[in-house]
Amino acid sequence: MPDSGPTLADVARAAEVSTATVSHALNGTGRLSDATRRRVRATATALGYGAPRRGPRTRTLGIAVTTFPGPWNYAEIAYFSRAVTAATAAAHAHGYALTTLPADRLADAAWHTLAVDGMLIADSPPGDPMARALRARGIPVVFDGVPGDVREGDHWIDNDHTATTREVLDHLTAAGARRVALQAGSGAETYARAVTQTYEQWCAERGVAARAVRFDAADAAGRAFDGLLTGADRADAVYAAYDPGGHQLLAAARRHGLRVPDDLLLVCASEDPGYARTAPPVSTVSLNPELMARAAVDRLVALVEGAHPPAPGPTLVPAALHARTSSRGGRRPRMP
């Protein structure tokens, strides 16, 4: 008989509570204090409750995005939509199902009992409770992007965000820009930190002021850019590091009577093909989500099956700058 592992009663005895309390704590139900929920969940994790044992695999992988804990639909974002589609195809090619999990982390409770053979986590922030629970259970995890808390033995797939950010900034400078601004991320994921830190270092190397605004998905009119686009020393180029940023900046430029690219250069990190059809077409940076997803699933399956486990650490996937009209300065007059 296979070892079934710790039971609900085992967790209850170790935590000195009833089995009903354990059930409520792990499922996010009942009227329990936060301290009791945390203690019971920590006990369950320490005992390995719900961890896979020496039985048959479920042949199921999971995928989730844990950057923000609230209920937001990452499937509506072009990058994640394309990544999930590619990951599903790759999982099926290996004979696995792929379960797409919501961004609210299922109230953190399900990670103690989730029945998957391996998990792909995108944009895992520091202190990610889902990553912590799965690591404690011994479930193989591969990260899309550097995990917020890198541990020995971790596996992740990523782009070289430092090189890509420098490529974009140098591209804008070559097109005539002298005051390049950044629309930066508001999350704690490594992508946001890497892009912002590279931009600030690039500005310091050139002795120019860093100009950054925070990305706000709800800011369709691009009001956050207003301070950058006015005055004698206004920005003459912007790198928008998040998907809707290009549309937001086009709206802001129209409001301020600025022409793109004559008065303002623009590059946006996005997988949205619609940017090739805007007026003018917007230059984009693709992080190649399909390549990222396939590489992540291949590595995850290798970890799950264990015959030839890959070495820990990163696998780098190249990003691609698609230069279009919005960042081609041509004969645009250079600002003083």
Side-chain angles (χ1 to χ4, degrees), residues 166 203 225 261 269 295:
R166 285 185 173 274
C203 289
F225 293 109

Side-chain angles (χ1 to χ4, degrees), residues 118-147:
M119 178 65 67
L120 171 58
I121 307 177
D123 288 350
S124 177
D128 187 349
M130 188 257 276
R132 183 171 61 247
L134 293 176
R135 281 165 166 156
R137 291 175 58 191
I139 292 178
V141 176
V142 172
F143 297 91
D144 179 339
V146 183

Side-chain angles (χ1 to χ4, degrees), residues 139-213:
I139 292 178
V141 176
V142 172
F143 297 91
D144 179 339
V146 183
D149 300 311
V150 179
R151 297 186 182 181
E152 185 178 359
D154 277 348
H155 297 256
W156 66 92
I157 314 298
D158 203 5
N159 310 104
D160 188 339
H161 299 301
T162 297
T164 301
T165 301
R166 285 185 173 274
E167 180 184 5
V168 171
L169 299 174
D170 291 342
H171 168 73
L172 290 169
T173 300
R178 294 296 176 266
R179 294 186 283 275
V180 183
L182 173 72
Q183 185 189 43
S186 57
E189 76 275 17
T190 302
Y191 172 72
R193 297 199 308 270
V195 171
T196 301
Q197 290 170 2
T198 301
Y199 168 72
E200 291 173 347
Q201 183 177 359
W202 183 89
C203 289
E205 290 169 358
R206 286 154 181 77
V208 298
R211 305 158 182 244
V213 297

Side-chain angles (χ1 to χ4, degrees), residues 27-123:
N27 291 291
T29 58
R31 296 183 178 179
L32 304 179
S33 69
D34 289 340
T36 297
R37 287 190 195 277
R38 288 194 297 269
R39 180 165 59 86
V40 171
R41 291 175 182 175
T43 301
T45 297
L47 292 178
Y49 177 75
R53 298 289 163 171
R54 293 190 299 273
R57 294 197 309 274
T58 64
R59 298 199 70 82
T60 299
L61 307 176
I63 184 171
V65 182
T66 57
T67 308
F68 304 106
W72 62 288
N73 189 359
Y74 59 85
E76 294 179 345
I77 306 300
Y79 176 89
F80 294 118
S81 175
R82 290 171 59 176
V84 168
T85 299
T88 302
H92 290 177
H94 285 287
Y96 286 79
L98 183 75
T99 299
T100 305
L101 298 160
D104 62 5
R105 303 175 185 156
L106 305 179
D108 295 346
W111 307 125
H112 298 277
T113 57
L114 186 66
V116 294
D117 296 302
M119 178 65 67
L120 171 58
I121 307 177
D123 288 350

Side-chain angles (χ1 to χ4, degrees), residues 1-7 10 47-48 50-56:
M1 293 288 291
D3 178 9
S4 60
T7 65
D10 294 330
L47 292 178
R53 298 289 163 171
R54 293 190 299 273

